[in-house]
Amino acid sequence: MIVITGGSSGIGLACARLACSKGARVVITSNNESELQEAKDNLSRDGHKIESIAADVADYEAVVSVADFTLETFGRFDTWVNNAGIHIFGKIERNDTRDMRRVFDVNYWGAVHGSRVAVKHLQKSGGTLINIGSVLSARSVPLQGIYGASKHALQGYTDALRMELEKTNAPVAVTLIKPSSISTPIPYHSKNIMPERARLPFPLYDPEVAADVILFCAENPRRSFIVGGAGKGAVTGEKFFPALVDKAMETVVWNMQKAKGEPRREDALHEPTEHSPRIRGDHDYYVRKFSLYNAAAKNPVIAVITGGLTAALGFLLFKRKGG
């Protein structure tokens, strides 16, 4: 039994659909009631066991209501996925303070609310808490500064929560998943203060690639999992060549986030917009349906070997620099 916040579109909806196809019972929540209802109806029509409840994760009591509804409907939940998120594209200096607080209210506090509610139950019954961070939890990029800051904060919170639960031997696995750029409708929901149309930097991965990792971690607890080899490369570069990666972000990734055409000014930052539930966004370049890195990382032996080789490479580079 799995609960997914932000479950009416993008990664959340892809995860719900994949979980349903595997026979799981699912509860999805979102602050967009019409989109949420349509998403539920579409999946129910296929015979899946899915329920929905509208909630704004920035409201702690609303998140409590999601848990209460789930327990009343299904009697328990085994996995809780904090996936809800919102975004701003544009220079930090031009971000409005009210808008930045809203990003943190959803991306950070929404996940904190979900974590507190989920852990209260999971400490008794056991299970998995999954927080959806981002590659930007570890590596900032220009024009997505406040989004990245909220994901940095979520990583700090998640890591501390994991240690505290482990210290008390609580039967709760805590995982932070860090997706690379995923081909979701997030540019359509996000606020864009750039003069250009916003888009996600490539390479892009299909939402089902991220959904597959989420469900894998629900059954095979991991401390963290980066979705996509491109994200792994960015995080590794940040660790060993941060200044060089800064320059790459300033020169290459800066322009990747700007597309031709009129910019969208409608956004769902403070209020939901009227859209049908969509898993994927409309992008004009190739979207990867598979990640070789993910396939390797799922194998614990390969993961250990890869981690060891990365550490050895870092040590050699450090020694070469005379560290």
Side-chain angles (χ1 to χ4, degrees):
M1 202 298 87
I2 181 170
V3 179
I4 305 169
T5 72
S8 64
S9 68
I11 292 174
L13 183 54
C15 186
R17 189 172 70 176
L18 184 59
C20 284
S21 72
K22 294 177 178 291
R25 296 174 297 172
V26 179
V27 170
I28 54 174
T29 184
S30 165
N31 71 331
N32 191 324
E33 293 190 46
S34 60
E35 185 180 73
L36 185 68
Q37 185 63 47
E38 187 176 348
K40 175 199 168 182
D41 291 345
N42 290 343
L43 289 170
S44 296
R45 207 172 292 125
D46 294 332
H48 298 307
K49 296 178 180 177
I50 184 166
E51 295 291 340
S52 66
I53 175 173
D56 184 343
V57 295
D59 179 352
Y60 178 74
E61 294 304 323
V63 180
V64 171
S65 296
V66 173
D68 290 344
F69 171 80
T70 302
L71 295 173
E72 290 168 5
T73 305
F74 293 114
R76 62 175 291 131
F77 56 84
D78 308 294
T79 301
W80 184 290
V81 181
N82 286 312
N83 168 73
I86 195 63
H87 207 301
I88 300 175
F89 285 95
K91 291 182 179 179
I92 293 178
E93 64 183 298
R94 294 193 59 233
N95 283 190
D96 179 78
T97 301
R98 177 172 173 264
D99 291 346
M100 290 190 288
R101 289 186 184 279
R102 176 61 180 170
V103 170
F104 264 80
D105 283 345
V106 175
N107 295 3
Y108 175 71
W109 284 109
V112 171
H113 294 161
S115 297
R116 290 172 67 88
V117 169
V119 166
K120 182 179 179 180
H121 171 76
L122 295 175
Q123 281 181 310
K124 302 173 185 176
S125 60
T128 303
L129 170 66
I130 296 177
N131 286 338
I132 307 302
S134 169
V135 166
L136 304 191
S137 294
R139 168 68 246 184
S140 294
V141 301
L143 304 179
Q144 296 188 55
I146 197 63
Y147 176 84
S150 69
K151 295 299 185 177
H152 269 71
L154 180 56
Q155 174 167 300
Y157 172 83
T158 303
D159 288 346
L161 176 62
R162 181 190 304 108
M163 290 185 286
E164 291 177 8
L165 290 171
E166 289 176 348
K167 180 67 175 179
T168 60
N169 295 315
V172 185
V174 179
T175 297
L176 180 69
I177 292 180
K178 305 176 188 177
S180 303
S181 287
I182 306 295
S183 178
T184 70
I186 197 167
Y188 299 91
H189 297 159
S190 303
K191 184 164 186 175
N192 176 21
I193 58 175
M194 301 189 300
E196 302 86 1
R197 184 163 64 90
R199 69 178 181 183
L200 294 169
F202 53 84
L204 283 177
Y205 295 87
D206 190 85
E208 290 186 354
V209 176
D212 176 71
V213 169
I214 292 169
L215 295 185
F216 171 81
C217 290
E219 297 179 338
N220 305 272
R222 296 290 180 87
R223 183 180 185 277
S224 64
F225 201 118
I226 295 172
V227 179
K232 179 63 175 179
V235 172
T236 302
E238 165 69 12
K239 186 173 183 178
F240 297 119
F241 310 105
L244 182 62
V245 176
D246 281 353
K247 292 301 180 184
M249 296 294 175
E250 293 164 15
T251 56
V252 180
V253 177
W254 181 282
N255 291 324
M256 280 185 184
Q257 298 171 88
K258 300 178 179 182
K260 295 179 181 179
E262 284 296 313
R264 290 178 56 85
R265 295 308 180 200
E266 181 186 30
D267 65 74
L269 184 60
H270 295 283
E271 297 292 338
T273 53
E274 293 298 322
H275 289 294
S276 294
R278 298 172 57 190
I279 289 178
R280 297 170 181 83
D282 296 325
H283 300 283
D284 56 0
Y285 41 88
Y286 178 70
V287 175
R288 301 183 182 191
K289 302 285 187 180
F290 177 78
S291 168
L292 182 61
Y293 167 77
N294 286 5
K298 288 180 183 179
N299 185 313
V301 175
I302 294 177
V304 169
I305 293 173
T306 302
L309 290 174
T310 301
L313 175 61
F315 176 76
L316 291 174
L317 291 171
F318 179 73
K319 293 295 289 183
R320 180 173 295 181
K321 291 180 180 180

